[in-house]
Amino acid sequence: MIPTPLVPASPTNDAVHADGALMRAHNLFLAGTRAAQRWHGRECFTVLDAGFGAGANFLATWKAWQDDPAAPRRLHYLAVEPHPFRLSDLAQVHAGWPGFALLSAQLRAAWPPPMPGFHRLLLADGRVMLTLILSDAASWLAKIDAQVDAFYLHSAPAIEGQPGQGSILSRLDRLAAEGAVLAGTGDLSDTARAALVQAGFRCAPFPLPDGKQGVVAEYAPRRQIAQAGMPAPQREAIIIGAGLAGSAACERLAARGWLVTLIERHDRPGQEASGNLAGIVKPLLAKDDNPGARLARAAYLFALGYWRYLGGIGTAFDGEACGVLQLAADTADAQDQYRTAMLHRYPANYVRWLDGAAVSALLDGEPSHGGWLFPEGGWVRPPSLCDAMLAAGGEGIRHRFACSATVLTRTNDQWRVTGAEGTTIAEAPVVILANGTYARSFPQTDKLPLTAIRGQVSHLPARSLPDLPVVVSGEGYLTRAVDGLCSVGASYDFDDDRHLRQDSHAQNLARLAQLLPKAGRTVANAALAGRVGFRCASPDRLPLVGALPDQQAGIAGSRLRDVPRLPGLHGLLGYGSRGLVWAPFCAELLAAQLNGEPLPAERDLVQALDPARFALKAHRRGG
């Protein structure tokens, strides 16, 4: 499916005039939902706004949360917006709201490119999570997975003026948490009000100070609502593996108040596939914008924001946001890249198409067919990022380095992890396997479809290569200098040889010569050092994120929810060669699942990462 490029909103829209928007935010949405009273004593509170606009409702809610000493630890704010503002226009509107200057500046600093999908932004040191849903209005409800405490509804396109509006609102109960309250403008149609009643909301008029009238509706379901997530007293987890996957999971859970025990067989983090000198960071593009491309886009954009939350690339950890240039392999590939860029009309700060002449000028005269430039991509030293994430987790993380987990057993709703000597390393109700293909060493998970792929990286002295301003990628890649060395890679071998091999070096140099013929000739006979690591890959090259299937239990149905799971056992596996991009996003997704919080991606994309998908496929085939 090819999404329609988003059309930006105009700053002249009456809905964003300062006085009206802010008065409505305070007098209707905050007052009508009684949010500031209802969130007292809560750990987390979730708002769903049917039309973000320039953010008046969000800024007013954020300010009320910030000024309230009894406010919940986290505020989740989901907002639908099919026509997001350009950053310059957003600044123009915000200039009329001086009382929110500090908050609006933070919002604009995190503002995502106008691309379809979910965009989770970490604000207020990560305690305010804004999930912008830049989506076609008619389909937004079905994509959200959340339990909402307060709904803000008004005559935005997401609610009014769309075919089938009744069916959208009649299913609002799927998102409503226990005690949810809805506030809406008085111009909601009779059809919309009837749909709310059908969904289980009791509607009543709500008088406003200006003499107008709004609508308030309280959720009064006939059934009991199941609470999602782990109860607060049980929020302890064991994470096995201190690479990018495990380190990110530690930080995301610790940020939510979890106590985490990290078990790592090496004496420090980032020593297996996450131990390379430098890894590259860029998204994937696809003409049909398939689920893999959508997921990679969401993960890439979340990673960029997450790194700002940690303190910044090149500051909190080693790396450069120097840009990544993905070169076309030949004329046909260049034409395909160009057509994809023109079809989707990507924002320039996400990707730009450069023709052969522009690429040649950028790459010191190297001949080129052209390529995509990802201006905010770059390189990162993975072990330093692991260190930064674990440091950010603070005292919520207990480290068990140089310690091998060999046995998993579950008794009385607790998992016990035992070491090689038979001693207990840790116990907790939740275990997360983030140890790549080593996850298959346990009987509970030995049938997971994970493959180890050998990757050898070659290290070249930076002085032997031109000082290019960007990372260059294609069939292989060339990083900028790190400690005087440039990384060239990487091989793709299906064997378990941990030693450096000359044939793998030769493959890497051949890829370099294909990318950069002039540079390749200068290093053709260079003496090379390097490193060997093993990527963990799944059959569909997407990660496994979430509750792991019970391999011994039968499957009675045809949907993912019908696959029995191992209670409390979860995975963050199969990142392949894209751990830098996947790790923050997948950790956020799993942490949200465990905490019963709104998920940071569309429901179909979350299902595409479900570890049970392979077992379900085998069951459907009769295997």
Side-chain angles (χ1 to χ4, degrees):
M1 176 180 175
I2 299 174
T4 303
L6 298 175
V7 178
S10 166
T12 61
N13 190 323
D14 290 339
V16 300
H17 284 321
D19 292 342
L22 292 178
M23 286 180 61
R24 185 172 62 184
H26 286 285
N27 296 335
L28 174 59
F29 296 121
L30 279 168
T33 61
R34 306 189 308 280
Q37 293 79 40
R38 294 170 51 238
W39 67 36
H40 284 185
R42 299 277 297 276
E43 181 181 341
C44 182
F45 193 84
T46 299
V47 177
L48 173 58
D49 188 343
F52 188 80
N57 295 339
F58 170 64
L59 293 171
T61 305
W62 182 3
K63 186 71 162 54
W65 173 88
Q66 177 183 267
D67 294 344
D68 187 351
R73 177 172 181 155
R74 281 180 311 287
L75 174 65
H76 268 282
Y77 196 102
L78 294 85
V80 180
E81 184 51 65
H83 305 296
F85 276 78
R86 297 184 182 92
L87 193 56
S88 57
D89 292 337
L90 199 64
Q92 179 183 335
V93 175
H94 288 172
W97 303 340
F100 298 92
L102 293 178
L103 302 187
S104 63
Q106 291 184 55
L107 172 60
R108 293 193 303 277
W111 195 246
M115 305 186 69
F118 284 36
H119 301 260
R120 175 154 292 180
L121 313 181
L122 303 180
L123 303 166
D125 296 324
R127 294 180 61 204
V128 173
M129 298 186 182
L130 169 61
T131 305
L132 281 172
I133 302 167
L134 307 185
S135 170
D136 175 76
S139 60
W140 63 267
L141 183 62
K143 298 180 180 181
I144 298 172
D145 197 328
Q147 288 193 337
V148 177
D149 299 297
F151 294 89
Y152 298 168
L153 298 188
H154 41 84
S155 57
I159 296 301
E160 300 285 3
Q162 292 290 337
Q165 61 175 315
S167 63
I168 291 175
L169 294 180
S170 66
R171 289 177 286 127
L172 211 59
D173 59 330
R174 187 181 65 78
L175 299 177
E178 183 177 359
V181 181
L182 177 152
T185 53
D187 57 356
L188 286 176
S189 70
D190 291 342
T191 303
R193 295 179 194 230
L196 290 174
V197 172
Q198 182 181 344
F201 287 85
R202 290 197 297 248
C203 297
F206 187 75
L208 299 174
D210 59 3
K212 296 181 180 179
Q213 198 169 78
V215 176
V216 166
E218 298 199 16
Y219 185 48
R222 297 177 182 176
R223 57 181 175 81
Q224 186 175 4
I225 301 174
Q227 296 300 306
M230 291 289 292
Q234 300 180 32
R235 288 177 181 169
E236 295 187 21
I238 299 165
I239 297 177
I240 301 176
L244 289 166
S247 299
C250 284
E251 190 283 324
R252 288 288 74 206
L253 285 177
R256 289 167 163 86
W258 284 58
L259 181 61
V260 179
T261 300
L262 174 63
I263 300 174
E264 168 56 50
R265 67 194 189 96
H266 294 284
D267 60 0
R268 59 190 187 278
Q271 296 305 297
E272 290 285 341
S274 301
N276 283 343
L277 183 64
I280 66 173
V281 182
K282 65 180 180 68
L284 293 174
L285 304 185
K287 187 177 293 184
D288 62 352
D289 205 40
N290 56 56
R294 290 162 57 203
L295 276 163
R297 175 169 70 240
Y300 170 75
L301 293 173
F302 181 78
L304 298 182
Y306 178 71
W307 295 343
R308 290 191 294 269
Y309 156 80
L310 289 178
I313 186 170
T315 302
F317 53 93
D318 299 336
E320 281 185 294
C322 56
V324 176
L325 183 62
Q326 182 175 328
L327 296 177
D330 50 36
T331 301
D333 189 27
Q335 291 174 346
D336 191 55
Q337 284 191 356
Y338 174 77
R339 292 186 187 117
T340 300
M342 294 301 101
L343 175 66
H344 293 288
R345 289 182 276 169
Y346 296 113
N349 60 337
Y350 180 71
V351 64
R352 298 198 300 269
W353 161 256
L354 303 181
D355 62 20
V359 170
S360 182
L362 186 64
L363 299 183
D364 196 35
E366 290 279 1
S368 175
H369 300 283
W372 286 321
L373 175 64
F374 302 98
E376 294 188 334
W379 65 268
V380 168
R381 191 201 296 257
S384 73
L385 178 55
C386 292
D387 289 338
M389 291 188 289
L390 294 178
E395 296 180 358
I397 306 171
R398 298 178 295 197
H399 306 97
R400 300 288 186 269
F401 290 120
C403 196
S404 294
T406 58
V407 178
L408 290 177
T409 54
R410 187 170 176 85
T411 307
N412 298 327
D413 297 328
Q414 289 278 109
W415 283 101
R416 175 182 297 152
V417 181
T418 305
E421 300 79 17
T423 58
T424 298
I425 302 173
E427 290 182 301
V430 171
V431 170
I432 299 170
L433 301 182
N435 54 342
T437 53
Y438 291 103
R440 297 189 59 178
S441 63
F442 304 108
Q444 296 92 337
T445 52
D446 60 359
K447 293 183 176 61
L448 287 175
L450 301 172
T451 302
I453 301 175
R454 180 182 181 274
Q456 179 172 317
V457 178
S458 303
H459 295 159
L460 289 168
R463 62 179 180 276
S464 65
L465 292 163
D467 184 16
L468 302 179
V470 294
V471 173
V472 181
S473 69
E475 289 298 317
Y477 63 83
L478 171 68
T479 69
R480 284 172 47 78
V482 184
D483 294 341
L485 295 174
C486 294
S487 296
V488 179
S491 68
Y492 205 84
D493 309 315
F494 291 91
D495 61 69
D496 59 1
D497 186 0
R498 291 185 171 272
H499 299 92
L500 290 171
R501 297 202 305 246
Q502 190 56 42
D503 65 326
S504 296
H505 280 321
Q507 292 172 21
N508 290 338
L509 289 181
R511 292 189 183 96
L512 175 62
Q514 184 179 21
L515 286 173
L516 305 169
K518 289 171 56 180
R521 286 193 294 270
T522 66
V523 297
N525 299 311
L528 301 175
R531 184 180 186 277
V532 174
F534 290 84
R535 316 169 182 94
C536 173
S538 71
D540 60 10
R541 296 301 186 260
L542 290 176
L544 282 65
V545 182
L548 294 172
D550 185 342
Q551 300 174 159
Q552 305 304 318
I555 300 174
S558 60
R559 291 175 289 187
L560 283 167
R561 69 185 186 188
D562 299 321
V563 180
R565 310 299 174 115
L566 291 162
L569 188 61
H570 302 263
L572 289 170
L573 303 163
Y575 291 6
S577 58
R578 305 183 65 80
L580 286 166
V581 170
W582 288 127
F585 175 79
C586 293
E588 173 66 16
L589 171 56
L590 181 57
Q593 289 175 330
L594 290 173
N595 243 38
E597 297 177 7
L599 301 188
E602 297 93 319
R603 288 165 63 90
D604 63 318
L605 296 186
V606 172
Q607 291 175 351
L609 299 178
D610 193 313
R613 64 190 186 270
F614 304 106
L616 184 61
K617 288 177 182 177
H619 169 71
R620 288 171 173 169
R621 292 194 302 264

